[in-house]
Amino acid sequence: MVNFLIRRFVAMIVMFLVITFVAYNVLSLAPGGPLQELMQQQQNSANRLDPFALERVMQRYEFDIDLIPRYTRWLVGQPDGPLNLFGQEMFGATQVGCLRKGETIFKYPDGRVVVSDCEVPVYLNDLKGRAVSKGILALDFGTSQGVLRGRPVSEVLNSRIGLTLLLQGISSLLALAIAVPLGIYTAVKQYSKLDYATTTVAFLGSSLPSLFWGLMGLLVFAVLFKQWGLPYFPAGTFVSNTPQTVPLIGVIEPESFADRAWHLILPILILTFVSLSGWIRYIRASVLEVLKQDYVRTARAKGLTERAVILKHAVRNALIPFITLVVTILPGLVAGAIITETIFSLPGVGNLLVAAIYGSDYNVAMAVLLLSVVLTLIAYVLADILYTVADPRIRLR
Amino acid sequence: MAITAIKPQKENEQARKPLARADTQFNIVARRFRRHRLAMVSLLVLGVILVASILAKQISPFERDYLNVESAAKFLPPLSRSPETGAMHWLGTNQIGQDLFTRLVYAARISLTTAMLATTLSTLVGTILGTLAGYFRGILDSVIQRVIDFFSNLPQLPILLILTAVLVTDPRLIPIPTFVIKFLQAIMLFDQEREARVVAALILILTLLGWTGVARLMRGQVLQVRERDFVEGARALGANSLAIITRHIVPNAFPPVIVAFTLGLAASLTAETGLSFLGVGIQNPVPTWGICWPLPRAICSSGRICH
C-alpha cells in the first residue's frame, strides 16, 4: 500500500510536469496573445506606440524569455538571475531569450562569422531584479494578463470558484441522493412501471448533451413561462439589478438570498438532471449484474430478509463501478460546468476559462487547467484506495 | 412396410423445411432488428437526417450563409415567407436573418461528417495501437500503456478547449495535406479552404484525445484472443505475425470495438457541438449543431454567446 502510494505519487508528479509543460507551450503557440491589441495600435499611425514601450510590455509579460526558462519561472520562480553557487554568480552570460528579433552578424577577430537572428538577446543577468511569481508550487499562479489585467490570478480564481463549487457541489449531491436509491430500486424492481419510467427519462437525459438541456431549460422555464404568466426563472446571470416581480411568488429584491437562489435553481436542476441520468443507468446496470450472481441466490436461500440481501450482499458488491463514478465529481468541481455556466452566463470557473482563452490570458487558463489536472489525478488515486476499502480482495502493490 | 417407408421421409422433409430457407447472417440480424420497435424508430429518424444532410444543397431553399438584412433581428416565425425572394422559411430565421432550416440541414452534414471522421480515425488508431500492445507485449506494451494512462488522466473538456482554441484558429500550426483539405471541402460543401482547414484540425484534435478508450479495449481483447487454440494452430502452421493479427486476432477481437465506435460517435458529436458552441471549434458562419441554435430574442438580447 505504501509502496503503491509512493509510486502513484511519483507518476502523478511526472504527469503533472508533462501536462503543464505541454499546455504551457501550446498556449504560447496561440496567435495573438495579450500583445495583439498593442500590436494593432502600432499599425494605426495616429496612435503610434513607442517601440521601447512595447518592449517593456514584452518584458512585463515575459514574452522575451525562451519557453523553457519561462516555464520554469512559472513553475518554481527560477531562474531569477544568475546562478548563485557558494556566493559566486555563474552562467550570467547565458542567453535565455530574445527581446527584439532581427539578424545580426558577429565577425570575430579570429575569422569566425556567427549569424544570430536576435538583435537584443536576453541574458541570465538581465533577469536579476525582475518581478517573478513565487511559482505554482508555492501556490502563486502569477498575474492575470487579460481577464483582470495586472491582478493576481489567485484573486481572479477566488472570486469565481465559490459559485462553481456551489453549483457543482449541490447538483452532484442532489444527483447522488436521487440516483443511488432510484438506481438500486429500479434494478431490484426490474420491469416495474417505475423502472420503465425512470429508464426512459434517464435515457433521454443521458443521450442528449447538457448543451441541449440548458438551452431547452432556458427556452421553456425562462422565456415561455414568462410569456404564459407562470412563475419563471431568470434567463441567466447571477443577480438581478432591479426588483423582479414573479407571478405566484412575489417580488424578489436584488442581491437577496431569494434572488441568488432564484438565479441558481435552473442551472443546478439542469446539471443535476444530466449527471443523474447517466448515473441511474450506471448504478442500475451494475446492481442488475450483481443480482444475477450465485451468492445473492445463496443469501436468499439462507432465509435472509430481502433488505439484507440487497443492501449487504448486492449493493456492497456493486460498489466498485459506483466508486469510479463518484470520484469523477472531484475534478468536475472546478471545470465541470463549462457549457452550463456559459449558457446561463454565470461567473464561474468554467466561464472564466472560456473568457481567459478568448482574452489570451494564459496565466488564468493555466491555473484553471492546473487545478482540474491536480483534482483529476487525486480523484484517480482516491478511487484506487476506495476500491481496497470496498473490496478487500483488491490489493494495491 | 409401405407406411413406415413413407413416414420418415415426410418427417425429414418437415425437418428440412426451415433449413431450406437458407438464413444468412444478414437475414438473422435484419429480422431481429425489425422486431425491435425502438431500433426501427431510431433508424427512421437517422435515415431522415442522413438523407436531408446528403441532399443539403438540393432541399435547402436558401444559400448556406444567405442573410436577409430586412428580416434581421425580426426573428421571423416558422412558415413565414422571405420578404426578398418569397421562399419559405420553414423554421423561421435567426437574429441576423438567416434561414434556420437551411442552416440546420447544412449543420447536420458538417457535424455528422466531422463526428464520423473523428471517430473512424480514433477507432483506427486505437485498434492498431491496442492490437500491437496486446500482441507483442513487452516494452511496446508498457510504452503504449503509459501513453494511454497519460491521456485518460487528462481533464477532457478543459484540455480540449485549450487545444482547440489554440490550434484551430491558426491553420499553420497543424500542417494538413492539400488533398485532405480538398476532400473535406468537397464532402462538406465548403466554398473556402480555410473552413475545411479548421474542420480538419478539429478532427485531428478529437482523434488525439479519443483513441485511448478503443486502444485499451482492443488490448484487453487481444490479450484474451492470442491465447486461444486457433492462434496457436496458425502459428504452428507457420503463419507470420502479420497474418495471425489480420486473419485471426483482429476479426475475433473486433466486436466490442464496434460498440465502442457507436458510443464514440455520440461522444465526438457532443464534443464538437460543445466546442463549437463555446466558440472555439468550428467557427461561425459555418453552421454546426453547436452553432445553429434558434435562440429566441429574449435570450439573444441579454448579452451572451449567441450565434
Side-chain angles (χ1 to χ4, degrees):
Chain A
M1 183 79 177
V2 176
N3 257 338
F4 169 81
L5 284 182
I6 292 172
R7 268 198 310 136
R8 280 306 286 265
F9 191 67
V10 173
M12 264 169 75
I13 291 175
V14 173
M15 264 202 69
F16 173 83
L17 290 178
V18 173
I19 294 174
T20 49
F21 185 66
V22 170
Y24 201 82
N25 287 348
V26 164
L27 276 179
S28 59
L29 282 176
L35 288 178
Q36 195 181 34
E37 221 173 298
L38 287 173
M39 297 290 194
Q40 280 164 354
Q41 284 179 7
Q42 273 281 65
Q43 289 165 0
N44 178 358
S45 59
N47 201 0
R48 190 163 280 282
L49 195 74
D50 180 5
F52 295 105
L54 192 70
E55 280 171 9
R56 277 202 300 280
V57 178
M58 271 181 78
Q59 282 176 341
R60 176 88 172 73
Y61 289 131
E62 311 213 324
F63 284 125
D64 56 335
I65 307 178
D66 284 345
L67 268 178
I68 293 177
R70 182 141 56 105
Y71 171 71
T72 54
R73 273 166 75 87
W74 173 80
L75 188 73
V76 289
Q78 295 285 344
D80 56 352
L83 209 60
N84 202 330
L85 274 182
F86 313 113
Q88 196 113 36
E89 290 188 342
M90 294 167 77
F91 302 112
T94 315
Q95 190 183 339
V96 289
C98 181
L99 184 59
R100 196 186 312 148
K101 291 208 166 65
E103 206 163 88
T104 44
I105 299 169
F106 300 104
K107 283 200 175 124
Y108 288 89
D110 57 350
R112 274 188 304 146
V113 176
V114 176
V115 180
S116 156
D117 57 355
C118 188
E119 213 178 300
V120 184
V122 178
Y123 297 111
L124 213 49
N125 269 332
D126 302 335
L127 297 184
K128 207 170 170 183
R130 236 198 232 193
V132 63
S133 71
K134 285 201 244 15
I136 293 306
L137 302 181
L139 291 180
D140 183 350
F141 295 107
T143 316
S144 165
Q145 297 156 345
V147 178
L148 264 180
R149 189 172 287 172
R151 306 297 303 170
V153 172
S154 49
E155 195 181 301
V156 183
L157 267 181
N158 268 340
S159 67
R160 301 293 194 99
I161 206 160
L163 182 62
T164 303
L165 282 179
L166 192 72
L167 271 179
Q168 288 288 71
I170 294 180
S171 66
S172 302
L173 284 181
L174 261 180
L176 266 187
I178 300 170
V180 174
L182 210 56
I184 296 173
Y185 185 85
T186 49
V188 174
K189 297 268 158 74
Q190 202 188 0
Y191 304 131
S192 65
K193 281 208 176 94
L194 184 65
D195 179 34
Y196 276 119
T198 313
T199 321
T200 311
V201 172
F203 178 72
L204 277 180
S206 58
S207 52
L208 287 161
S210 57
L211 175 61
F212 174 83
W213 293 114
L215 288 173
M216 280 302 127
L218 265 187
L219 185 66
V220 174
F221 295 111
V223 179
L224 291 181
F225 270 38
K226 194 172 180 178
Q227 280 173 13
W228 296 336
L230 289 167
Y232 63 94
F233 289 111
T237 69
F238 186 40
V239 283
S240 34
N241 299 323
T242 49
Q244 301 282 318
T245 320
V246 182
L248 300 178
I249 294 178
V251 180
I252 291 174
E253 290 298 321
E255 303 208 17
S256 63
F257 175 77
D259 185 40
R260 295 264 156 92
W262 186 53
H263 277 87
L264 287 182
I265 285 175
L266 190 56
I268 284 179
L269 283 184
I270 281 159
L271 281 173
T272 310
F273 176 60
V274 172
S275 44
L276 179 81
S277 316
W279 294 0
I280 284 184
R281 284 157 62 83
Y282 205 69
I283 293 170
R284 179 174 175 274
S286 56
V287 173
L288 267 182
E289 175 85 31
V290 172
L291 282 177
K292 281 190 213 129
Q293 302 289 326
D294 287 340
Y295 52 76
V296 171
R297 197 179 308 134
T298 311
R300 287 215 177 95
K302 282 194 301 188
L304 294 181
T305 57
E306 191 63 19
R307 191 189 164 81
V309 170
I310 288 162
L311 290 184
K312 292 224 168 115
H313 292 253
V315 172
R316 178 90 203 239
N317 281 291
L319 269 181
I320 295 283
F322 176 68
I323 288 171
T324 322
L325 203 109
V326 171
V327 293
T328 55
I329 294 175
L330 199 59
L333 285 180
V334 176
I338 298 180
I339 287 175
T340 313
E341 279 175 12
T342 310
I343 293 173
F344 288 93
S345 33
L346 292 172
V349 180
N351 211 333
L352 177 69
L353 179 63
V354 175
I357 286 171
Y358 271 118
S360 315
D361 195 339
Y362 306 140
N363 279 345
V364 170
M366 279 306 290
V368 175
L369 183 71
L370 192 95
L371 278 182
S372 50
V373 165
V374 169
L375 285 179
T376 315
L377 291 174
I378 291 176
Y380 282 119
V381 174
L382 197 67
D384 282 341
I385 295 172
L386 286 178
Y387 289 155
T388 62
V389 177
D391 187 347
R393 284 171 305 180
I394 298 176
R395 290 271 159 79
L396 300 177
R397 267 169 293 146
Chain B
M1 275 295 276
I3 294 167
T4 46
I6 294 166
K7 224 181 178 179
Q9 221 180 354
K10 252 190 174 172
E11 264 178 12
N12 260 351
E13 260 173 33
Q14 272 178 346
R16 216 180 286 138
K17 242 183 184 170
L19 285 177
R21 242 173 52 201
D23 271 2
T24 58
Q25 171 95 19
F26 179 78
N27 275 343
I28 298 169
V29 173
R31 191 158 3 99
R32 276 183 60 184
F33 194 83
R34 243 176 280 133
R35 276 205 212 109
H36 200 306
R37 206 187 305 152
L38 190 61
M40 287 309 285
V41 173
S42 311
L43 188 71
L44 191 73
V45 172
L46 278 179
V48 168
I49 294 174
L50 220 59
V51 168
S53 64
I54 289 169
L55 298 177
K57 201 162 198 164
Q58 285 73 30
I59 61 170
S60 54
F62 295 89
E63 294 277 301
R64 193 193 80 190
D65 295 340
Y66 165 86
L67 58 88
N68 188 344
V69 184
E70 276 177 52
S71 52
K74 279 185 189 158
F75 294 92
L76 289 182
L79 295 179
S80 49
R81 294 212 171 263
S82 160
E84 200 177 65
T85 60
M88 184 72 91
H89 289 296
W90 294 104
L91 298 174
T93 60
N94 66 2
Q95 75 279 8
I96 53 170
Q98 290 173 321
D99 179 47
L100 280 172
F101 178 72
T102 306
R103 305 276 293 167
L104 186 72
V105 170
Y106 274 97
R109 187 177 184 121
I110 293 161
S111 284
L112 286 178
T113 319
T114 309
M116 199 81 94
L117 288 175
T119 321
T120 310
L121 264 185
S122 56
T123 309
L124 207 65
V125 173
T127 307
I128 292 172
L129 289 181
T131 310
L132 290 180
Y135 185 78
F136 291 108
R137 297 195 284 192
I139 298 175
L140 187 68
D141 184 23
S142 34
V143 170
I144 293 178
Q145 279 276 75
R146 288 294 91 74
V147 177
I148 293 177
D149 279 350
F150 176 79
F151 276 104
S152 53
N153 278 2
L154 293 175
Q156 288 278 337
L157 193 53
I159 291 274
L160 212 54
L161 202 61
I162 287 177
L163 276 184
T164 320
V166 173
L167 297 179
V168 161
T169 39
D170 192 351
R172 282 163 306 174
L173 292 175
I174 306 181
I176 294 159
T178 328
F179 71 92
V180 176
I181 303 282
K182 287 269 180 289
F183 170 70
L184 285 177
Q185 221 176 332
I187 55 173
M188 297 197 186
L189 305 174
F190 289 147
D191 295 334
Q192 294 175 25
E193 208 173 89
R194 188 177 46 84
E195 298 175 347
R197 216 176 269 278
V198 166
V199 174
L202 185 63
I203 289 174
L204 285 183
I205 292 168
L206 289 176
T207 306
L208 180 72
L209 290 173
W211 62 276
T212 54
V214 174
R216 185 176 285 170
L217 191 70
M218 197 63 189
R219 179 179 169 275
Q221 286 289 311
V222 170
L223 280 180
Q224 276 174 23
V225 173
R226 78 190 295 279
E227 303 299 331
R228 301 263 285 275
D229 287 340
F230 56 80
V231 175
E232 192 131 335
R235 201 172 290 133
L237 286 172
N240 59 7
S241 293
L242 185 71
I244 294 177
I245 289 177
T246 52
R247 289 260 181 86
H248 301 283
I249 291 194
V250 171
N252 282 294
F254 207 61
V257 175
I258 298 173
V259 179
F261 175 81
T262 57
L263 295 176
L265 208 56
S268 304
L269 196 59
T270 314
E272 183 271 312
T273 48
L275 289 174
S276 303
F277 175 78
L278 292 175
V280 296
I282 300 174
Q283 314 274 325
N284 228 357
V286 180
T288 85
W289 279 349
I291 290 180
C292 70
W293 285 89
L295 296 179
R297 188 197 307 259
I299 299 178
C300 257
S301 56
S302 61
R304 74 191 67 233
I305 295 179
C306 190
H307 298 290

